């Protein structure tokens, strides 16, 4: 069995980023390094770089999230970027959307342990909750799939004029170009790339922003949403 790597001390920047929630951020890092590795949510090789590559890299996403909005973190996994975002932004109402039971169990435990009252854990795939999950202002995601596929999952969950914020790496610009046609069909009206985390992370975190118009997901998903909503109403009547 591979010996577990040791979690390094939190860097000084973490105190500034997480503020009053610094102790909770440390506890979350410990949970990722222990239970997260044991349950196969993150690889043991990620433990030495949990702070820079994961917690801080995700927390700085808050720089481009508007105030007081609803957020759905699609494919939340071990809670990245949703939980670091929740730790630095208690003005947001965040849904962590994740299909796998072992991950949602972990997420629920973390949310309860850290007292994140503004966070809800939902088990399911994006296409399954369409029409039952209240549309949100912002969808977040972190490199869970190529941008065109990610947009197909996330954009239909948005309310009109919402936006998807995807944490990406060096391929962000290339992915954005190759996904242009798919994004247009999904109702995207504007795209941009932002680099955030100045003075916190090096290299800076790269965020792809996709803004939608009045029909998130396009015509096809508007019909699916309406059908899902009708089905939900029939079930509630029963």
């Amino acid at each position: 069995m591979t010996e577990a790597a040791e979690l390094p001390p939190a860097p000084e920047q973490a105190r500034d980023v997480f503020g009053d929630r610094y102790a909770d951020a440390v506890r979350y890092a410990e949970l990722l390094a222990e239970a997260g590795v044991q349950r196969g949510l993150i690889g043991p090789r990620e433990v030495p770089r949990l702070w820079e590559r994961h917690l801080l890299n995700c927390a700085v996403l808050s720089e481009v999230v508007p105030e007081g909005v609803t957020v759905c973190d699609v494919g939340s996994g071990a809670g990245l970027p949703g939980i670091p975002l929740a730790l630095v932004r208690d003005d947001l109402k965040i849904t962590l959307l994740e299909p796998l039971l072992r991950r949602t169990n972990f997420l629920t435990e973390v949310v309860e342990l850290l007292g994140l009252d503004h966070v809800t854990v939902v088990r399911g795939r994006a296409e399954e909750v369409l029409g039952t999950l209240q549309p949100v202002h912002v969808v977040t995601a972190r490199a869970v799939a190529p941008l065109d596929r990610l947009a197909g999952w996330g954009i239909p969950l948005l309310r009109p004029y919402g936006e998807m914020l995807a944490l990406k790496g060096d391929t962000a610009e290339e992915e954005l170009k190759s996904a242009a046609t798919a994004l247009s069909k999904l109702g995207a009206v504007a795209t941009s790339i932002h680099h955030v985390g100045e003075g916190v992370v090096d290299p800076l975190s790269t965020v792809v922003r996709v803004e939608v118009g009045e029909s998130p997901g396009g015509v096809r998903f508007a019909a699916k949403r309406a059908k899902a909503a009708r089905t939900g109403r029939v079930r509630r009547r029963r």
Side-chain angles (χ1 to χ4, degrees), residues 182-227:
L183 292 176
S184 179
K185 289 180 180 178
L186 287 165
V189 296
T191 60
S192 53
I193 294 176
H194 303 264
H195 300 285
V196 297
E198 183 72 44
V200 178
V201 290
D202 183 18
L204 299 179
S205 298
T206 302
V207 181
V208 175
R209 170 181 264 145
V210 180
E211 300 169 69
V212 300
E214 61 184 16
S215 298
V219 175
R220 183 164 64 93
F221 283 99
K224 286 184 70 172
R225 264 196 303 272
K227 182 179 179 181

Side-chain angles (χ1 to χ4, degrees), residues 53-62 80-81 84-85 142 167 205:
R53 185 181 174 88
H54 298 287
L55 273 76
L56 290 173
N57 180 272
C58 289
V60 296
L61 178 64
S62 65
L80 301 163
L85 184 61
R142 185 176 188 238
L167 277 163
S205 298

